Amino acid sequence: MRDLGAGFKHLLKGQRWVARHGRQYGFGLLPGLITLVLYAAALVVLAVWGEDFVAWATPFADDWSSPWPGLFRGFLTAVLFALALLLSVVTFTAVTLLVGQPFYENLSEKVDRDVSPDGTAPESGLPLWRELWISARDSLRIIVRALLWGVLLFALGFVPVLGQTAVPVLGFMVTGFFLTEELTAVALQRRRVELRERLTLLRSRKTLVWGFGTPLALAFLVPFVAVFLMPGAVAGATLMARELLGEETVEEDTENTKENGASSGAPHVTW
């Protein structure tokens, strides 16, 4: 339970950090807005032409007696749109992080420098194209894992009682885990931590990860909300990455800083 609270605190600390750094927050909004527009356009296209696509893909239903072709195709159109929405939720973070790689790398580095005792931030030393390739490759692997879990949970959803109680909860926990992996990857990739190592690291502190990722997954069900929370989520995930790796973190007394323009006491150090 303690780790659950600690994970949620990292999420809140990340939002507070971007609130105190307005310029970073503004730049961090751009990738999410771009991704939201692209996803919205794709969903509108699907809503307008989805029925025509289903009709083209099911010519065998043309000879069925009325009203079965319409009912069958209407059901398939609804399923197609529902799957598109699910895929949007699952992939939104990965695509936003890929689109905004330079923005979020910069934000994460500034968080590291802000809370590091020596004011430095780890650097991967890799060219941008290489970082983008690694990010895209790892994101695709995570999406495949998340979709496999999604298929399993969808099947379990038909089990009486279990499908209506435990499965939705488990679904949000799984989504929260993979969401946290995507977000912490920004900081961990700069430290040259590979995907397999990242997953092992996160599994070693599952309750910490769930405390951070599950509330965020609930909020991210609304993509417009996700846009505004994304910069703070990256900042909070950077703080979590430091804890997972056992790095020393300095936390300033923000209230005193705000009132006096500087910290009135010694920094608080956490591990």
Side-chain angles (χ1 to χ4, degrees):
M1 291 298 293
R2 184 178 180 180
D3 261 359
L4 281 174
F8 188 64
K9 283 181 180 178
H10 283 309
L11 180 58
L12 295 180
K13 287 177 182 177
Q15 300 302 327
R16 285 200 298 266
W17 191 91
V18 295
R20 298 197 306 272
H21 299 76
R23 186 176 181 182
Q24 293 301 314
Y25 180 66
F27 282 124
L29 289 177
L30 293 177
L33 289 171
I34 293 171
T35 307
L36 180 63
V37 169
L38 293 175
Y39 273 55
L43 289 173
V44 168
V45 169
L46 184 61
V48 173
W49 286 289
E51 190 173 352
D52 293 337
F53 172 77
V54 169
W56 170 80
T58 57
F60 55 84
D62 290 341
D63 299 329
W64 293 2
S65 59
S66 182
W68 298 114
L71 291 174
F72 175 68
R73 285 167 173 164
F75 172 74
L76 288 183
T77 301
V79 170
L80 179 64
F81 194 78
L83 289 175
L85 283 175
L86 175 63
L87 188 62
S88 297
V89 172
V90 171
T91 61
F92 183 85
T93 301
V95 174
T96 302
L97 289 174
L98 185 62
V99 170
Q101 180 79 9
F103 296 96
Y104 294 133
E105 283 283 350
N106 183 262
L107 188 154
S108 180
E109 285 184 18
K110 287 187 180 299
V111 173
D112 267 324
R113 291 194 182 95
D114 195 40
V115 301
S116 174
D118 57 4
T120 62
E123 296 181 3
S124 67
L126 299 174
L128 179 60
W129 71 267
R130 179 65 177 169
E131 290 183 348
L132 289 173
W133 162 249
I134 293 174
S135 179
R137 181 197 64 191
D138 290 349
S139 292
L140 182 59
R141 291 174 177 175
I142 290 298
I143 289 172
V144 169
R145 286 177 167 87
L147 289 177
L148 290 175
W149 269 99
V151 171
L152 175 61
L153 293 172
F154 179 77
L156 290 175
F158 291 99
V159 179
V161 182
L162 179 68
Q164 292 73 48
T165 54
V167 170
V169 175
L170 182 59
F172 280 115
M173 292 172 69
V174 170
T175 303
F177 180 89
F178 287 119
L179 184 59
T180 303
E181 195 289 324
E182 289 282 359
L183 291 166
T184 53
V186 177
L188 293 176
Q189 282 179 3
R190 280 192 292 106
R191 292 161 167 83
R192 307 294 288 269
V193 181
E194 296 294 331
L195 176 60
R196 188 181 297 275
E197 297 174 81
R198 296 201 302 268
L199 290 173
T200 300
L201 192 63
L202 293 173
R203 287 173 186 142
S204 69
R205 300 284 299 277
K206 289 191 184 73
T207 51
L208 180 72
V209 171
W210 289 330
F212 180 91
T214 303
L216 197 59
L218 287 167
F220 273 26
L221 286 175
V222 184
F224 193 71
V225 173
V227 170
F228 291 97
L229 292 182
M230 182 66 80
V234 172
T238 301
L239 297 173
M240 175 179 285
R242 295 182 66 89
E243 178 174 341
L244 289 169
L245 295 173
E247 296 178 357
E248 184 180 353
T249 298
V250 176
E251 297 180 14
E252 293 184 354
D253 185 343
T254 56
E255 291 300 321
N256 288 334
T257 300
K258 185 176 180 181
E259 293 175 6
N260 304 325
S263 178
S264 60
H268 174 62
V269 179
T270 60
W271 297 85

